[in-house]
Amino acid sequence: MSRINIKTANKKIPVAKNLYGIFLEDINRAVDGGLYPELIRNRTFEDSIPPIDCTTDETGYAVITASGWRDEFNHGEGLSRWVRQNEVAYTPIPAWYSVHAGMELDLTDTLNIHRQAALDVNFSKNGKIVNTGFCGIPQNLGASYSFYMFAKADVPVEVIVEMKDGETIYSGTKLRINTNQYIRYDAVLTAKGESQNAKLEISCPDGGRIKIGFISLMPSDTYLGHGLRKDIVEKLKDLNPRFFRFPGGCIVEGISPSTAMRFRNIVGPAWERPGHLLMWHYRTYNGLGFHEYLQLCEDLAMEPLYVFNCGMTCQARNSVLMEGAELEDMIQDTLDAIEYAVGAADTKWGSLRAAMGHPEPFGMNYVEIGNENSGSDYEERYLKCYNAIIKKYPRMKFVANTHVEKMGLPADLVDEHYYNTAEYFAENTHLFDDYDRNGPEIFLGEVSVVRGFVGQLYGALGEAAFFTGVEKNQDIVTMTSYAPLLENVNYQAWYPNLLRFNHTKCYGIPSYYVWKLFGNHRGEYIVETGEETGRIHRPVKGMASLLGAAGIEYRFAHWNGAKAEVSHELMGRVKESSRICTVKKPDEEQRAESTRYYNVNPEEIFVIFGEEEVVSGTFEIEIKAERDREIILGIFSSRIPKEVYISDETHPPKEWNPDKVRPFLWRLKDGRSSLWEKEFPEHLRLDKEKAVKLKEGEFNHFRYTTDGKKLSLFVNGELVHDIEVPSFQALNSVVSDSDTEVIIKLVNMADQVDEVSLELDCEVCEEYKAYILTGDKTAENSFKNPDRVCDEECILKGADRTFNYVAPPFSVNVLRLTKKA
């Protein structure tokens, strides 16, 4: 039974008005075919064309940047697993197929200077071309779809445009292409039936030749008529987001200069916006552009937060630095974007905004300089960008990617990103307690559980527990957003994503409902609370390992008295002679492989003993101590849970690799012993440093014993460290209030009911509302059961100055109590 003492009279901090928002990056084909409901894939015919500063290999499998980064391309189809999963038949022009018609790209006679290709079609009699859309094109009975294309023909040609599934025709129209100049042809197609797998067919009964410069098919009914998919936007609205970070994310950086996001490429008429390859393996047509992002902010009353490229491509993908005129142009591009958002209608870019239907400024108060950039190159470009913008827009607030204030640079907020396990988030509810209140505010721009219980209730509970700590620190943490936001289930590149969708439906994963509850139930002040609750130990497994400098000698490795063999040579090779084993330096293959992983020293060893699934027992080993040699023993040497995301799909990581195994590190050197956990951004100390005596030149006996909750370490029979395995509170809470209400948020991560004793210092009405999210630990939502895990509202009675609330196992609970007048 947990106990919470609530002191509403002691108001700690006001709530941050923009604490909960959303972040959108075009990943998993989130935009085209999704939020921006274009139904024709490859509407510009450019998907198979690599970026101008990239090449493809001989097979078209991979695209390669000038700096050497490789990504799967598959002639423009994207990831190989998409091709397999979606059973995509090869075609030289992705998503377009022909029957009794010649079809090829024309790279010279294009619609306008921004288009790289037109589709040149030579129909035989009754020939046709077909577009398959994003794994089919939905047709909903009675729904209207707006079709248009820019086309030309030297000789008049009549074509038939139809939506078909097999031989079933859902809608159609005839068009006569009768000019040798590109002309726009429009039609409204109204579906006469239901299909999830229709295709667009353009046929020519009499034969003929046409060129198509651009083509589009979109639902006529969109959110507020502003061109976005209604059900997805409505789901976003239900989160009550207060800000919107856009357009990325890594796509802002790009994998090469030509693939970096630029404002000028995402404004103006859709057919005049240059598309480009995104680093998430497909081309964007930029129909959802700067104007549409700002319009969405206005529609949902969100504060825009524009992320722009600061003159460098993605640092995790063989970064290229922009210099001189190229850098200055990128900075000017950002100034132009700000003018588009906030400039008067008589300015250059404000006038384009007015022409796009919004004469009044949108308003934009935040910009983020770069995305996930760091180091001296970033700091140099950060300052250049800052100085250029602050000079013209002195009220702008600036978000930095790193703590640039430590280098003397100005910043209003610093963007920190956290991707980890449910247990990590639950263990770090106090992460921000000691942050400097005199420094910049903290923006948690990207947060989610990506390993372990991904997309499941327990992962959502870990995030919820973390955010009870965030809410207690919202005097310093003032903005937060989940990442990623959207996923077309047929084009998954990352998982989990807050909302998943197909052609006609979308649903939220359990985390969606956590963010919905936390974003919609907020008071005016965070009040003082005291908590008494139990603890849950982090699950651990795996045997021992040896790390560090090559050449270490050992013998007599045992687990529970039985000989323990090396099971995985991640770095280094074990050689045995006269019952003494020596771990030799990594070979060429291991060193080459190590360069693919973060912070792996190619000269150091890493070998693992025994089985991964063991939890409790005793490991013993004799290791030879030598002057100036550090001995590093790994404890709980198991693989961290898998991620769906793979940075380099052309060369996926091995199942066992030195980045994926992160044991506790028992380190001994110069008479001192310490115990650490490998963690990002720095190792965490698990126990204070201790003195230890080793016999130099001799084999010393090392032993550790664990039951999975406690860990005891011995050297030559003497106890050196005795700790508990990291743990976290079973129940976390945060309380806010207003003049009329007390709002209590409770997160129960235990597998049992917690009858929580609540003690208040004010009178409240007996009847209160409870919003509850609960279910099985591994529960997930799906298209078949989209609400298996969702928030439920109920009215309860029994509230008083002291009363008990029964929190279900594995649950998030929001209680809204009404204060008595």
Side-chain angles (χ1 to χ4, degrees):
M1 181 176 184
S2 299
R3 177 174 169 269
I4 301 175
N5 184 267
I6 301 167
K7 298 180 179 179
T8 60
N10 189 358
K11 295 178 176 20
K12 305 288 287 185
I13 52 173
V15 302
K17 67 174 184 176
N18 291 334
L19 183 61
Y20 294 108
I22 55 176
F23 157 58
L24 175 64
E25 174 165 28
D26 194 347
I27 183 174
N28 312 299
R29 288 200 185 273
V31 174
D32 294 319
L35 179 61
Y36 179 78
E38 174 60 62
L39 300 177
I40 295 177
R41 184 160 68 91
N42 196 11
R43 71 179 186 175
T44 66
F45 317 110
E46 298 163 342
D47 282 15
S48 59
I49 302 174
I52 58 173
D53 49 6
C54 300
T55 58
T56 58
D57 64 10
E58 292 181 359
T59 64
Y61 162 69
V63 66
I64 307 163
T65 69
S67 63
W69 179 257
R70 289 167 55 89
D71 188 28
E72 286 199 325
F73 188 63
N74 286 306
H75 306 282
E77 294 285 1
L79 296 183
S80 297
R81 52 189 166 92
W82 296 347
V83 175
R84 293 191 301 269
Q85 168 192 313
N86 299 326
E87 299 180 345
V88 178
Y90 173 75
T91 172
I93 304 171
W96 289 96
Y97 298 84
S98 63
V99 180
H100 303 306
M103 181 178 69
E104 62 181 10
L105 297 183
D106 187 328
L107 305 182
T108 56
D109 188 11
T110 61
L111 175 62
N112 55 55
I113 61 172
H114 302 294
R115 298 269 63 84
Q116 291 181 263
L119 187 65
D120 189 348
V121 187
N122 191 359
F123 295 100
S124 299
K125 283 190 176 183
N126 297 313
K128 64 181 178 181
I129 59 174
V130 179
N131 186 274
T132 57
F134 297 88
C135 296
I137 299 176
Q139 293 290 285
N140 296 319
L141 179 63
S144 294
Y145 301 89
S146 300
F147 169 86
Y148 70 89
M149 70 177 181
F150 289 86
K152 61 188 289 190
D154 291 334
V155 177
V157 176
E158 186 174 272
V159 297
I160 300 173
V161 179
E162 293 175 314
M163 298 304 307
K164 297 179 67 176
D165 186 351
E167 295 303 313
T168 303
I169 300 172
Y170 293 92
S171 61
T173 190
K174 291 182 179 180
L175 299 174
R176 184 172 176 81
I177 314 302
N178 55 11
T179 175
N180 62 1
Q181 301 295 319
Y182 282 111
I183 296 294
R184 176 168 168 165
Y185 298 86
D186 288 81
V188 175
L189 306 179
T190 302
K192 299 174 183 177
E194 299 277 342
S195 174
Q196 300 307 306
N197 196 37
K199 297 174 178 60
L200 173 78
E201 290 191 5
I202 301 177
S203 59
C204 189
D206 297 326
R209 187 170 186 172
I210 66 171
K211 285 183 183 176
I212 306 173
F214 187 90
I215 191 167
S216 176
L217 179 71
M218 296 183 70
S220 301
D221 186 19
T222 59
Y223 189 78
L224 298 182
H226 291 152
L228 301 186
R229 183 168 148 176
K230 289 180 71 173
D231 61 333
I232 293 177
V233 178
E234 286 165 355
K235 281 283 191 184
L236 298 179
K237 182 180 180 181
D238 287 346
L239 292 170
N240 190 31
R242 309 315 304 152
F243 70 86
F244 184 33
R245 179 179 182 242
F246 69 92
C250 294
I251 65 168
V252 168
E253 304 165 90
I255 57 174
S256 68
S258 79
T259 60
M261 291 293 290
R262 288 172 171 80
F263 152 77
R264 298 185 200 114
N265 291 344
I266 57 174
V267 287
W271 53 92
E272 292 183 1
R273 300 180 188 183
H276 68 275
L277 182 69
L278 297 177
M279 66 184 303
W280 295 115
H281 326 298
Y282 54 89
R283 191 179 187 90
T284 175
Y285 318 131
N286 288 325
L288 177 59
F290 193 73
H291 185 98
E292 291 77 19
Y293 284 123
L294 293 175
Q295 185 64 62
L296 180 60
C297 289
E298 186 174 275
D299 291 345
L300 299 189
M302 300 182 294
E303 178 72 47
L305 194 165
Y306 176 54
V307 185
F308 66 88
N309 188 296
C310 64
M312 56 202 309
T313 66
C314 181
Q315 288 178 289
R317 294 166 174 82
N318 298 357
S319 182
V320 174
L321 299 177
M322 301 178 203
E323 308 279 4
E326 189 176 27
L327 174 59
E328 293 302 320
D329 183 67
M330 188 62 82
I331 295 173
Q332 185 59 50
D333 187 76
T334 302
L335 292 171
D336 295 343
I338 298 173
E339 182 176 280
Y340 186 101
V342 306
D346 59 357
T347 61
K348 176 181 177 180
W349 294 102
S351 65
L352 177 59
R353 182 197 65 239
M356 293 293 292
H358 202 287
E360 293 302 315
F362 279 107
M364 187 170 74
N365 298 305
Y366 293 87
V367 292
E368 182 166 358
I369 302 177
N371 172 76
E372 292 183 344
N373 299 136
S374 62
S376 58
D377 291 325
Y378 171 64
E379 290 156 5
E380 175 189 348
R381 285 159 178 75
Y382 176 92
L383 188 57
K384 280 181 176 287
C385 295
Y386 177 90
N387 286 337
I389 296 169
I390 198 72
K391 181 179 180 180
K392 192 168 183 180
Y393 300 100
R395 295 184 180 179
M396 190 65 67
K397 292 185 177 181
F398 294 85
V399 181
N401 296 168
T402 58
H403 283 272
V404 297
E405 79 280 3
K406 295 179 180 179
M407 305 302 295
L409 302 180
D412 297 292
L413 296 98
V414 173
D415 186 359
E416 297 187 0
H417 296 177
Y418 293 89
Y419 294 104
N420 218 298
T421 63
E423 293 83 3
Y424 170 88
F425 284 114
E427 289 172 24
N428 282 277
T429 56
H430 296 283
L431 182 64
F432 304 103
D433 290 1
D434 298 325
Y435 268 51
D436 182 6
R437 264 52 182 177
N438 296 315
E441 295 173 357
I442 301 301
F443 169 36
L444 303 180
E446 301 180 26
V447 175
S448 68
V449 167
V450 295
R451 298 190 187 98
F453 298 92
V454 294
Q456 298 177 337
L457 176 60
Y458 200 69
L461 296 182
E463 295 162 2
F466 183 69
F467 277 97
T468 63
V470 167
E471 290 208 0
K472 291 175 183 176
N473 285 280
Q474 57 190 300
D475 58 326
I476 186 69
V477 183
T478 57
M479 303 173 81
T480 63
S481 50
Y482 186 94
L485 185 64
L486 300 175
E487 174 201 342
N488 183 324
V489 294
N490 294 309
Y491 300 96
Q492 183 188 85
W494 181 294
Y495 190 74
N497 305 280
L498 204 61
L499 287 172
R500 310 187 76 203
F501 64 86
N502 59 19
H503 293 321
T504 57
K505 298 177 182 178
C506 72
Y507 69 85
I509 65 172
S511 292
Y512 170 86
Y513 294 97
V514 165
W515 286 77
K516 178 184 174 185
L517 286 173
F518 274 62
N520 279 283
H521 300 285
R522 311 193 63 214
E524 295 175 359
Y525 292 91
I526 298 299
V527 302
E528 181 181 347
T529 55
E531 296 172 330
E532 295 177 11
T533 187
R535 298 194 70 82
I536 299 171
H537 288 88
R538 183 201 307 173
V540 290
K541 64 180 182 178
M543 214 180 283
S545 54
L546 287 173
L547 304 91
I552 193 168
E553 295 179 279
Y554 72 90
R555 65 187 185 189
F556 308 146
H558 288 83
W559 176 257
N560 290 339
K563 186 177 181 180
E565 301 282 2
V566 168
S567 53
H568 299 282
E569 295 174 322
L570 304 185
M571 297 291 289
R573 302 297 182 188
V574 178
K575 304 297 181 183
E576 183 175 1
S577 177
S578 301
R579 303 178 70 186
I580 295 175
C581 296
T582 304
V583 188
K584 301 292 187 179
K585 66 181 182 180
D587 59 27
E588 287 298 326
E589 179 186 349
Q590 290 174 324
R591 284 200 292 272
E593 180 74 11
S594 72
T595 61
R596 304 183 54 245
Y597 305 115
Y598 174 77
N599 203 26
V600 174
N601 188 326
E603 302 302 323
E604 292 188 346
I605 65 160
F606 192 171
V607 297
I608 297 171
F609 295 92
E611 300 300 321
E612 183 178 34
E613 296 304 318
V614 299
V615 174
S616 59
T618 298
F619 181 80
E620 299 176 85
I621 191 171
E622 291 187 6
I623 302 174
K624 190 175 184 179
E626 299 175 284
R627 181 180 296 274
D628 298 327
R629 172 181 289 281
E630 182 180 31
I631 295 173
I632 308 176
L633 260 171
I635 302 168
F636 303 127
S637 305
S638 63
R639 292 168 294 178
I640 60 176
K642 229 177 184 180
E643 282 184 281
V644 168
Y645 163 64
I646 298 173
S647 64
D648 181 2
E649 294 270 0
T650 70
H651 190 180
K654 294 182 176 180
E655 276 297 310
W656 285 85
N657 68 66
D659 183 50
K660 200 172 183 180
V661 182
R662 301 181 189 177
F664 294 172
L665 300 176
W666 184 13
R667 313 183 74 130
L668 303 100
K669 187 178 182 183
D670 298 332
R672 309 298 295 175
S673 174
S674 59
L675 187 59
W676 299 83
E677 178 177 9
K678 279 184 83 172
E679 191 49 82
F680 177 83
E682 58 188 18
H683 293 350
L684 302 176
R685 188 185 291 274
L686 297 174
D687 194 18
K688 61 183 179 182
E689 194 173 78
K690 304 286 183 66
V692 65
K693 292 182 180 180
L694 295 180
K695 304 168 188 175
E696 285 190 10
E698 299 181 27
F699 282 92
N700 292 253
H701 185 264
F702 296 82
R703 171 167 59 95
Y704 74 78
T705 299
T706 182
D707 62 359
K709 296 181 179 180
K710 292 186 177 181
L711 177 63
S712 302
L713 284 62
F714 302 82
V715 176
N716 295 325
E718 293 188 9
L719 180 65
V720 180
H721 298 283
D722 193 27
I723 68 162
E724 281 201 10
V725 168
S727 62
F728 49 88
Q729 289 185 187
L731 185 84
N732 285 279
S733 68
V734 64
V735 181
S736 61
D737 85 336
S738 65
D739 289 341
T740 59
E741 279 189 299
V742 179
I743 301 173
I744 305 169
K745 293 175 181 173
L746 307 171
V747 182
N748 181 16
M749 295 193 69
D751 60 0
Q752 54 194 356
V753 165
D754 192 344
E755 189 170 351
V756 185
S757 173
L758 298 169
E759 302 172 7
L760 292 92
D761 63 352
C762 62
E763 300 291 337
V764 294
C765 297
E766 180 187 14
E767 187 173 278
Y768 64 100
K769 287 184 179 181
Y771 302 83
I772 305 168
L773 182 71
T774 189
D776 296 335
K777 188 175 186 178
T778 58
E780 302 178 17
N781 292 334
S782 64
F783 289 113
K784 186 176 180 179
N785 193 353
D787 299 322
R788 182 183 179 193
V789 181
C790 66
D791 58 314
E792 295 185 2
E793 178 183 347
C794 57
I795 296 176
L796 301 177
K797 293 185 177 181
D800 206 335
R801 289 180 71 101
T802 300
F803 71 103
N804 290 350
Y805 172 77
V806 178
F810 304 130
S811 64
V812 177
N813 309 263
V814 178
L815 314 181
R816 299 196 72 137
L817 313 182
T818 302
K819 291 181 177 179
K820 288 185 177 179

